[in-house]
Amino acid sequence: MEELEDQILSKILALEKERSSTASTNDHEQQEVDKELDALQNRVADLEHEKTTFIPPDNFKVTIPVRNNYMYARIKKSLPELYAFTVCVWLKARGPAGVGTPFSYSVPSQSNELVLLEWGTNPMELIINDKVTQLPMNLKVGTWHHICITWITRDGIWSAYQDGVERGGSENLASWHTIKPHGVIILGQEQDTLGGRFDATQAFVGEIAQFNMWDHVLTPAEILGLANCTSHLQGNVIQWDEKLVEVHGGASKRSFEVCEERKKA
């Protein structure tokens, strides 16, 4: 970018000298030089705009258009050991046979360390260390929904939020367990082994944005702020960052701002 800009500026200086030398010649030649100067100066202005226009790293979505066992996204960052967490994500499901698996976290000793799954006509499930609870959620196909799950190891207390509203909660889900570190986070597929062995019937189809994770339980007010777009709180464990998400098998990343999209709805 800088090299191209330097080349254009050098050309402008040369044309300025040429314009000075043609001041005493005919008007037509000077008009032609002026036109070229204007065009080059506009190009420099465009380049300066491109350099100064900042696109936030979280303004994107992952799109998984087809239900299969090879389209997914992988977070290029793992989790530390966790005694509590909040995970939030925006989802727009498109599949006719349940939401599938928006995300899964697997570690070497446990493929189902942390999973959010809706399989077929079954209710959505939260799985922690292979222990399962059903979540009182109802996601409408083709609509963006904000989902948050909180959990704490003490007594295995959990809560589930849909679109900023707490839909339910309970306890005794993997009580006193700690979420193990150094695993693999996959968006769109359920892992039967570390980072792989996906099942197409459990795959997510649709769009995912703003997957963030914290090492503590967010307050109801903080979750509501995320859902109604009055807050832009980023996860302190996992942040939704374009550089941290890699797509595979035909999944794609596209520029996207979920709160702007909701305004249009």
Side-chain angles (χ1 to χ4, degrees), residues 66-70 97 100 119 188-190 197-205:
V66 179
R67 189 185 301 276
N68 56 41
N69 65 352
Y70 54 85
W119 192 5
Q189 298 282 356
E190 193 273 333
R197 199 186 291 171
F198 306 138
D199 182 343
T201 64
Q202 297 176 325
F204 173 83
V205 182

Side-chain angles (χ1 to χ4, degrees), residues 23-244:
S24 58
T25 61
N26 66 64
D27 291 339
H28 177 72
E29 289 179 0
Q30 190 159 349
Q31 287 173 3
E32 290 300 314
V33 172
D34 286 342
K35 284 181 182 179
E36 192 167 358
L37 270 171
D38 288 342
L40 288 170
Q41 286 167 342
N42 287 333
R43 179 57 179 146
V44 169
D46 289 341
L47 288 170
E48 291 291 347
H49 177 71
E50 290 171 14
K51 285 168 65 177
T52 57
T53 299
F54 174 71
I55 299 175
D58 63 335
N59 276 16
F60 75 101
K61 64 182 176 181
V62 168
T63 299
I64 302 174
V66 179
R67 189 185 301 276
N68 56 41
N69 65 352
Y70 54 85
M71 285 189 186
Y72 65 97
R74 178 171 175 157
I75 306 293
K76 294 188 289 185
K77 187 177 179 181
S78 191
L79 300 180
E81 188 174 61
L82 294 174
Y83 299 89
F85 68 77
T86 300
V87 59
C88 295
V89 62
W90 282 96
L91 298 174
K92 186 178 184 178
R94 296 191 181 278
V99 171
T101 308
F103 69 87
S104 63
Y105 175 66
S106 176
V107 296
S109 60
Q110 176 57 266
S111 60
N112 292 325
E113 184 68 0
L114 175 57
V115 183
L116 184 65
L117 168 68
E118 184 183 286
W119 192 5
T121 59
N122 298 317
M124 184 170 283
E125 296 177 339
L126 174 65
I127 305 172
I128 297 178
N129 191 34
D130 222 21
K131 308 298 188 296
V132 183
T133 191
Q134 294 184 346
L135 303 182
M137 291 184 176
N138 183 21
L139 304 189
K140 185 179 178 182
V141 172
T143 299
W144 280 104
H145 290 286
H146 187 256
I147 302 300
C148 281
I149 308 294
T150 70
W151 174 86
I152 189 167
T153 183
R154 182 171 182 171
D155 296 326
I157 298 171
W158 62 269
S159 295
Y161 295 77
Q162 180 178 323
D163 300 324
V165 177
E166 185 174 0
R167 293 299 182 94
S170 190
E171 55 186 28
N172 296 322
L173 175 61
S175 301
W176 308 106
H177 176 70
T178 56
I179 303 297
K180 297 180 180 66
H182 313 309
V184 175
I185 302 173
I186 297 292
L187 305 180
Q189 298 282 356
E190 193 273 333
Q191 306 171 64
D192 284 337
T193 60
L194 184 67
R197 199 186 291 171
F198 306 138
D199 182 343
T201 64
Q202 297 176 325
F204 173 83
V205 182
E207 297 164 303
I208 300 172
Q210 293 296 332
F211 179 87
N212 285 278
M213 196 163 183
W214 295 260
D215 62 2
H216 56 275
V217 173
L218 294 186
T219 67
E222 288 173 322
I223 291 172
L224 179 60
L226 290 169
N228 64 22
C229 296
T230 58
S231 169
H232 197 66
L233 189 64
Q234 291 282 298
N236 69 339
V237 174
I238 298 294
Q239 308 80 36
W240 188 244
D241 188 325
E242 194 274 333
K243 292 181 181 178
L244 294 179

